[in-house]
Structure formats: C-alpha cells, structure tokens
Amino acid sequence: MNLEELNATATSERLARMKKRHHMYVCVGTACQALNSEQIAKALQAALKQSGQSSEVEVKCVGCPGLCSLGPLVEIESQINGQVAPGAAEDERRRSVLYQFVKPEDAGEIVAHLDGEPVKRLETPLNQPFFTRQTKIVLEHCGKIDPERIEDYIAVGGYQALLKVLTEMTPQQVIDEITRSGLRGRGGAGFPTGLKWGTVAKSDPSAYPTNVPEGIQSRKFVICNGDEGDPGAFMDRSVMEGDPHRILEGMAIAAYAVGANQGFIYVRAEYPLAVKRLRTAIRQAQRAGLLGSGIGGTAFSFNVDIRLGAGAFVCGEETALMASIEGGRGVPRPRPPFPAESGLWGCPTLINNVETLANVPPIILKGAAWFASIGTEKSKGTKVFALTGQVTNTGLIEVPMGISLREIVFDIGGGIPGGRQFKAVQTGGPSGGCIPAQFLDMPVDYESLAKVGSIMGSGGMIVMDDSTDMVEVARFFMEFCMDESCGKCIPCRAGTVQMYRILTKIQEGRATRRDIQILEELCDMVKHTSLCGLGQSAPNPVISTLRYFREEYERKVNGAQGSEVSVGSEEWGVGKLTAHSA
Amino acid sequence: MISTITKTMTSTPTAPGRPTGNGAVAATPSDRLAGDKRYKIIEATMRRYGYQGHGLIEALHSAQEAFGYLDDFTLKHISRTLHLPPSKVFGVATFYNLFTLKPQGAHTCVVCLGTACYIKGAREVLAAIEGEYDVKAGGTTRDSQLSLLTARCFGSCALAPVITFDGETIGKVTPTAVAQQIAQRLAAVQQAR
Ligand code: SF4
Ligand code: FES
Ligand code: FES
C-alpha cells in the first residue's frame, strides 16, 4: 500500500462508519473476556437482528478501555437525533453511553433503549474523574478499534507515520525528531530513546564478531520487549491486545531509523491473546505491503517475527532476552558491549519496550514539540499505569507525567474502599519501592520517584491500605526475586535467599535487632555487586520499607524471644562476610 | 497455553512411551516417531526455523502443547534434530518455568500469586485449595485429577484474586468459596465425560 491507497482505505472506512447510527464497543480485553464478554457481543448482534436494526448498528469487539473493575463494559456511541448545528464537529454529533457489569441477558434491553433514554441500571457516567483526568496517547485507540482488523487502524490514521517517514524523512531526521520529543524508555530506567536509536544507527555491524543464522538477512535488529514480567502489571498486554498494529508501526519506524531489516517481538507465552492478535496483525500488515519487502512502494524492507517467552522474569533484562531469542537459557551477560553495539547474534540491536514503541507514531505525526508539551521538564509525555490493589477503580490508566499520586489514587482511582486509610503505593514491582502517604503530593516522574527510593518501572501501581503488613510485602517481593534469580552470579543467587530467610525470621518473631542490621548490609552488598538489574534492584522493596516503615520491623523484632546471636547468619557465614567487606 | 495443555491431556490419557498395559514397552524410536502424529507438529515448528538452534524454545513450546509435558524421548528427539547437545536442550527445558518434565493431572487449577492478587489474599485462597484437595502447590492429587499450580499474574489483576481452572478465569475468589467453585467444575467435566 502506498500513501494514496492508504488514504483511500481510510476514507472509505470512515464513510462506512458514518452510515451507521449506533456503534457498540464491547470490551474483549483479558479481564472482560474472562467474564464472558464475547457472549455479550453475540447476544447484542442477535438482539439487533431480531429488531431488524442490524444494518444500522455496528457491534465491535475492542480492546480494554481501562476501567476493568466495572467490566464487562459496553460503550455505545450514537448519532444525535434531531437538530445539530451545521458544521458541528464529528463528536458533537454523537453521544456516548457506558454500560457496566453487562450480561448477555441485558442485550435485549440495551437494544430496545438505543434511541431512547439509556438503561439506567447499567449506566455508569462517562464524566467521572476516572475518564476525565486521563490523557490518552498510547491507549488512544484501545477500546475504540477492532484489534483484529487492519482497516480499523488505518481509519484512525494508522501507518500514516510510517509512510511519512519512508517518503519524506531521512533516518537521521527521524532520530532527531524522537530525540527532540524527549521520549524516554518506558520499560523502567527511562533511558532517552533518541540517544539509544542514534547509537544503534551509528554502530557498525562488523565491529564485533557475529553469528547470524542462515536465512536471516539483516545485520541490525529491532526488538520489542513485550516480556511484561512485573507481577500485577498489564499495560503492555493491553496495548498488544488492543492496538497491535501500533506496535508494528513503531517498530518499522525504529527499524528505518537505525537501519534494521528484521525485528522480533518477545512476548510472554502467558499472554496467548496478545500473541494471537500480534500474529494476525503481522499477517495483515504483510498482505497490505506495510511490512515485508518494499514497504509502501519504497526500497525499505522490514520483517517482524514473534518469539515466545517461557516464564522467566529475568528475560526482561536486555541481554537475557536476547539469549532467549537465540534459543538459549535466558541468562544475562556483563555489559559492555551494550546491545546497541553488539546484541542479538553479535549485531547492533535496538531494544525498546512496547509502550515506548507505541509512542513513536504519534510523535512523528504530531511532531516532537507537541509531545514535549505534555509532562514535566525531564519526563515528557504520558505514562500508562496498571492501577490495582486496595483502590476503588482498578484498571488501566494513562496520565500525563507530573500528575500527583494523590490525583491518581483518590481522583482517578476513587480512593480506598471499605472506609480504610491509605498507607502506601508500590511502583516498579520487584525492582521498585513503597511510597508512603507523606509523598502523595509528589509529581510522578522518573526523577521524583527515584528520589523517594522507588522507580517508574514498567507501570505497575499497587495501592495498599492500613491493613497491609509492609514486612510481608517486602518478603513477598524477595521471594519473587529469589525464585526468579537466574543463578549466574553469587550476590543475587545467595543474597536473595539470605534476605528472604531473615525476612521470614522476622515475620515468625524469631529475629533480633542484629538481623535487621545484617539485612541492611545484605541489601547494600547485593545492590552493588550483582551482575544484572534483577539482582541490583532486588533489595529495593526491603530498603524502601525499612526507610519508611521501620517501626513495623522493629515491633516484630522487639517482641521476639530470639537470642542475640543470629543463628541463621552464622550458619551461612554471612555475618562474617559482611563484617569483612565493611 | 494452559488450556491447550489440559485439553491434550484429557484427550490422551496415556502419555507416549509409557509401558503398555501388559508390561510391554512401547515400540522402537522410529516407530514411535512415525506412529504419533503429534511429532509432525513439532517437526513443522523446527522446519519453520530451518532446523536451527534458535528455534529450540519454540520447538519445546509445541512439544509441550502437543504432549502436555516434555518427556525424555521427546527432548532427545529435539536435540538430535536440531543438532544440539542434550545438555543444552535439558538446560533450556529446565530453566524456564513454563516447561514441565512431569505429566500433569487431568485438570489444572492455577492460583495467581502476583502482587495484586497477593495483596487481596491469594495466599489464603491457595491454602484453602491445598487443604481441601490435600495437595501442595506444584503437585497433583493422588487420583491424578487435579494439578495445582501457581503463577505470577495473568493480567486480570482487576479481578484479583484470580484463579484459573482448565484455562477458564475465575475472578474475585474467596478462601471460603473457592473449593466449592472448583468442585463444581470438576463434577461438571467428569459428568460430561
Ligand atoms: S543478578 Fe541475579 S538474575 Fe542477574 S545475572 Fe546475577 S544471578 Fe542472574
Ligand atoms: S478488560 Fe475490559 S475494561 Fe479492561
Ligand atoms: S496479579 Fe493476579 S492477575 Fe495480575
């Protein structure tokens, strides 16, 4: 497809859409699908057929619109009957109603009320802060388009950015645009994306020995990291399931900028729906000539393959992920050389996470200045969070950087249910920390979160109320890191086990003050001597809970009957080890 | 993924290469490869990657999907076909959590222990199931009917705490009601048989 054909498809799709009086969007995201939302779509279609309205009403199965805790959700967009001012904008001619907790049995009633008053008992207001306080860039199409139809994506401007880049811009101009936008990696550490692209673009594939398998032509690679391992986070999943073409487009633009012809999407096998939708999207894009050789009639070729993870958290780490794509155990290796110079099969490799890549097409279309106008001085754009835990509205949100935690938890999230008190919010998963109430008014951006001992992470945000035991939270994350440590380096392999044992001891009331001291020493050692990010950040949940909720640790220790000599550490010689290194 | 595993398991109660009823051992390797269509599926996967080493994980995925677990014979077959040392194949198969070398029960219940579920009491849910079915997480009941597994996040955190039964997601479970919910489903599938 070239630009004209793309525009023609978009126009005819939009025209067809305007002919329908009503549009029904049924969420078939993971959470709603688990509640049988596909049956709702079928029931709605049946009810429409019965009332003879099939041709005027469109039923679309869409990705997650965000408010999963009220799911299954059905949104209905209708043309307003009667007078509309001539020249009114498209959205002034329409009104929307959102229905919550929909069951297939409700279909008849919903259809009967299409042209009249909405069904009161199912309606949930669309003007609640959950929706009005968000700014959607990455998620703008989730919940609006059918992720299994490329035409839907094209109708909302899809692949325009890719063709613009291929026909009007040089690779360097693309990199400059991304750099100017201030986009930073959304996978955790927040490395500037433009800088990363620039490094890969400059890297010479022959600088390091390579062993690319036969049949793969490219000598540079683009990898989309969809190995969302952080437990309690599902942002990337929603994008992959709700708007898969967006990721392909972002990857293709990145590939053009850095000079790669082959890309890989590394997805967790635990996300079968995401895998299926991505596969469909790749097939459709290839057929439309938007992936493959000679994209959009230009000389640029780019192919994308999917690789499945197999349940190893460490594979979120770049070098481990590449080892896994090569077919081996996902074990990290020391850096340098960095993947940007010598990555997959020794070739220069660009690794970006799903959300980062999904930000690319709008930046190209609307310009770096537009993107840079959102957010704060150093953190531009928006961030998607999976808001879960003890909060009224759980689900997926996208907010501008710099918004305060209070707004997220109390306005968008609707506060703490059950008359309880807010205690802390955990961000960054096993690599992050707990942020206590005193920082509720702090802006959410990379630097501020780091200052209070947490990280932005990939976007898990878990709200905890006053019933939460913080030592238990620390122990939970330590157990996770202990299980997921790949075992390559000793500080992480042995250190996480030791820390977990001490935390268990504290929980069981057998620990002494000395144990807390050893725990702190271990945190310090594991943090500074581990090989990869998993080990380096594993102590973070302990460090941050010790920093803000130390009295909880002390209360448990003071009540303990244990002797002053810490048996656990003597047994393993850890006491001595840290004493020497101190 | 899990649902496919279970489906395969229920349709093929005897795993490949097990001693047959009268004590005779299954046929020679080449017979076994020729006689079992499921090896064709694995073959197709390996061919897609040009029989090269980087297709190993995908090959293991399709093997596990076809057989429900990875047995010695299949691992060695993959190692031979891809020209990889068995140590590498076993190393990879044991490194990743999703691969299992043990046959599973007829039905699978997975309890999510991800953060969101944990905060909402997933541990108590797990304990309730363990108590009711007298099985530890990672194990299978003595009658081979139910395997109890744990996972880190299904991505349905909004419904926390979440479990799955044969791939069906059950959200907002409670320690008191969960055993009943599983029992109902077990009874339903057993009756359907
Ligand atoms: S820090 Fe942990 S996960 Fe990373 S290489 Fe070392 S042992 Fe493996
Ligand atoms: S999955 Fe339906 S609203 Fe999130
Ligand atoms: S933490 Fe249980 S589904 Fe995400």
Side-chain angles (χ1 to χ4, degrees):
Chain A
M1 241 184 228
N2 59 27
L3 195 56
E4 277 138 52
E5 289 159 339
L6 193 72
N7 286 335
T9 311
T11 318
S12 73
E13 273 293 313
R14 273 185 224 136
L15 281 178
R17 226 187 94 87
M18 270 155 67
K19 290 214 186 85
K20 308 271 182 185
R21 278 193 308 122
H22 304 278
H23 298 270
M24 298 183 162
Y25 304 102
V26 182
C27 172
V28 290
T30 318
C32 290
Q33 204 182 41
L35 299 169
N36 258 335
S37 60
E38 274 167 351
Q39 294 306 321
I40 301 173
K42 290 211 183 90
L44 284 171
Q45 251 142 2
L48 286 169
K49 204 162 179 193
Q50 223 176 28
S51 66
Q53 302 185 69
S54 293
S55 60
E56 299 160 37
V57 183
E58 179 189 47
V59 180
K60 237 185 221 315
C61 288
V62 298
C64 171
L67 194 44
C68 311
S69 54
L70 301 185
L73 292 178
V74 176
E75 186 177 346
I76 298 176
E77 218 177 78
S78 312
Q79 280 176 12
I80 293 172
N81 288 327
Q83 295 296 314
V84 188
E90 168 90 1
D91 45 340
E92 283 170 48
R93 295 171 189 270
R94 296 175 180 275
R95 68 155 199 203
S96 290
V97 189
L98 185 65
Y99 290 137
Q100 61 183 0
F101 304 125
V102 182
K103 294 193 200 60
E105 303 88 88
D106 300 327
E109 198 178 344
I110 294 178
V111 169
H113 282 77
L114 268 180
D115 289 299
E117 278 297 298
V119 186
K120 276 278 162 295
R121 88 191 151 81
L122 295 173
E123 195 184 359
T124 183
L126 269 165
N127 59 0
Q128 53 187 309
F130 182 88
F131 296 108
T132 55
R133 289 297 184 85
Q134 297 195 45
T135 305
K136 297 208 172 182
I137 297 176
V138 171
L139 300 178
E140 62 181 333
H141 304 319
C142 285
K144 292 282 176 203
I145 63 171
D146 181 345
E148 301 194 7
R149 283 187 79 230
I150 191 172
E151 295 83 3
D152 270 41
Y153 183 62
I154 293 175
V156 292
Y159 290 108
Q160 296 277 353
L162 175 60
L163 291 193
K164 172 173 175 186
V165 159
L166 294 183
T167 52
E168 294 170 21
M169 294 169 87
T170 65
Q172 189 56 46
Q173 282 172 330
V174 179
I175 294 171
D176 291 343
E177 192 73 13
I178 297 296
T179 309
R180 267 199 306 272
S181 76
L183 177 64
R184 294 169 66 173
R186 297 292 193 244
F191 192 80
T193 306
L195 198 60
K196 207 175 196 178
W197 288 24
T199 318
V200 181
K202 271 188 236 104
S203 293
D204 174 7
S206 56
Y208 288 87
T210 59
N211 56 337
V212 184
E214 269 169 56
I216 294 182
Q217 302 305 337
S218 185
R219 289 299 173 268
K220 283 188 185 180
F221 298 100
V222 171
I223 296 175
C224 169
N225 183 352
D227 188 52
E228 188 167 52
D230 177 352
F234 50 97
M235 304 74 49
D236 295 349
R237 163 175 214 161
S238 288
V239 182
M240 292 188 281
E241 289 177 0
D243 198 4
H245 283 285
R246 180 77 166 258
I247 301 164
L248 299 181
E249 186 177 4
M251 284 179 82
I253 295 172
Y256 173 74
V258 303
N261 302 111
Q262 174 68 48
F264 293 97
I265 309 181
Y266 189 83
V267 197
R268 304 175 71 194
E270 290 93 326
Y271 286 1
L273 192 59
V275 174
K276 178 176 153 240
R277 298 222 169 122
L278 283 167
R279 286 218 167 105
T280 310
I282 293 175
R283 219 179 313 120
Q284 291 171 343
Q286 279 167 342
R287 209 171 302 139
L290 295 165
L291 277 184
S293 49
I295 296 177
T298 67
F300 176 63
S301 300
F302 181 59
N303 279 305
V304 176
D305 273 329
I306 292 181
R307 288 303 163 92
L308 294 186
F313 177 65
V314 67
C315 286
E317 202 274 345
E318 295 184 336
T319 56
L321 188 152
M322 293 185 306
S324 184
I325 292 183
E326 290 173 11
R329 299 165 44 187
V331 177
R333 62 156 174 78
R335 297 175 298 179
F338 286 92
E341 291 167 327
S342 171
L344 195 58
W345 294 301
C347 299
T349 305
L350 174 72
I351 305 187
N352 277 145
N353 115 313
V354 168
E355 196 183 330
T356 315
L357 289 165
N359 269 305
V360 168
I363 293 178
I364 298 294
L365 278 186
K366 300 187 191 164
W370 160 79
F371 189 80
S373 70
I374 304 165
T376 65
E377 171 79 39
K378 287 190 177 150
S379 306
K380 300 297 187 194
T382 58
K383 178 77 194 84
V384 182
F385 289 104
L387 189 63
T388 54
Q390 323 282 21
V391 58
T392 307
N393 300 331
T394 54
L396 205 67
I397 59 166
E398 182 171 358
V399 289
M401 297 271 191
I403 189 172
S404 74
L405 276 174
R406 187 184 299 281
E407 279 171 273
I408 294 182
V409 175
F410 290 93
D411 295 346
I412 297 176
I416 317 293
R420 293 225 160 239
Q421 287 296 310
F422 171 88
K423 184 167 190 179
V425 34
Q426 209 279 348
T427 66
S431 324
C434 295
I435 306 169
Q438 75 226 53
F439 297 117
L440 266 175
D441 290 305
M442 180 191 84
V444 174
D445 59 43
Y446 291 98
E447 278 72 27
S448 309
L449 286 173
K451 218 182 292 159
V452 299
S454 189
I455 58 166
M456 179 77 80
S458 56
M461 193 174 266
I462 293 142
V463 181
M464 299 171 187
D465 68 16
D466 52 3
S467 69
T468 316
D469 176 345
M470 299 315 272
V471 183
E472 187 56 30
V473 170
R475 191 172 80 126
F476 166 78
F477 282 118
M478 194 50 72
E479 183 181 11
F480 180 87
C481 292
M482 174 176 83
D483 287 348
E484 294 297 335
S485 167
C486 81
K488 178 164 177 162
C489 66
I490 294 163
C492 163
R493 180 178 68 212
T496 50
V497 177
Q498 289 311 318
M499 290 192 281
Y500 176 72
R501 288 200 183 169
I502 297 180
L503 288 165
T504 307
K505 221 168 132 189
I506 298 177
Q507 279 306 62
E508 290 173 354
R510 295 185 287 112
T512 63
R513 286 181 166 277
R514 174 81 184 110
D515 285 307
I516 299 191
Q517 221 179 337
I518 296 172
L519 185 63
E520 287 183 306
E521 286 167 13
L522 275 169
C523 282
D524 191 58
M525 186 186 71
V526 173
K527 189 178 172 107
H528 293 106
T529 55
S530 291
L531 172 61
C532 85
L534 194 157
Q536 288 160 8
S537 63
N540 284 355
V542 179
I543 297 175
S544 83
T545 45
L546 267 172
R547 182 160 152 195
Y548 299 120
F549 302 98
R550 199 179 181 94
E551 64 303 339
E552 285 188 35
Y553 284 83
E554 286 180 343
R555 215 178 309 131
K556 296 191 186 216
V557 167
N558 286 339
Q561 305 295 314
S563 64
E564 265 311 302
V565 184
S566 157
V567 183
S569 56
E570 287 290 293
E571 233 172 76
W572 291 82
V574 173
K576 279 180 218 131
L577 187 78
T578 44
H580 281 305
S581 61
Chain B
M1 180 64 43
I2 290 152
S3 67
T4 31
I5 293 170
T6 329
K7 254 180 252 142
T8 341
M9 282 311 294
T10 39
S11 58
T12 55
T14 27
R18 292 251 195 88
T20 51
N22 50 19
V25 182
T28 62
S30 50
D31 284 354
R32 231 169 105 178
L33 290 176
D36 195 330
K37 281 207 189 71
R38 290 172 290 182
Y39 283 106
K40 294 237 163 58
I41 306 173
I42 309 175
E43 184 72 22
T45 306
M46 294 193 282
R47 194 179 325 116
R48 187 146 31 92
Y49 292 93
Y51 297 104
Q52 297 185 64
H54 66 102
L56 172 58
I57 294 177
E58 305 292 322
L60 293 175
H61 271 303
S62 34
Q64 176 149 319
E65 223 167 280
F67 292 114
Y69 73 107
L70 303 168
D71 69 348
D72 258 29
F73 179 82
T74 309
L75 287 173
K76 283 189 189 136
H77 169 63
I78 292 176
S79 128
R80 259 192 311 271
T81 321
L82 296 182
H83 302 290
L84 293 171
S87 59
K88 162 119 187 180
V89 176
F90 279 82
V92 169
T94 50
F95 180 84
Y96 293 97
N97 292 332
L98 278 186
F99 296 133
T100 166
L101 307 192
K102 282 190 299 200
Q104 299 292 301
H107 303 282
T108 317
C109 174
V110 191
V111 179
C112 174
L113 290 184
T115 324
C117 292
Y118 196 83
I119 296 285
K120 292 215 169 169
R123 213 177 16 147
E124 289 77 25
V125 169
L126 179 64
I129 306 175
E130 285 181 335
E132 181 68 28
Y133 287 90
D134 187 22
V135 58
K136 284 268 160 252
T140 302
T141 53
R142 227 162 297 143
D143 61 2
S144 306
Q145 280 303 302
L146 188 70
S147 286
L148 181 63
L149 303 174
T150 58
R152 310 275 190 195
C153 196
F154 304 124
S156 316
C157 317
L159 306 177
V162 181
I163 67 167
T164 66
F165 179 84
D166 284 1
E168 173 204 355
T169 307
I170 312 172
K172 301 191 179 156
V173 293
T174 60
T176 40
V178 70
Q180 179 78 33
Q181 284 169 301
I182 297 175
Q184 272 169 7
R185 285 170 173 79
L186 267 179
V189 278
Q190 271 154 5
Q191 212 165 36
R193 229 187 269 161

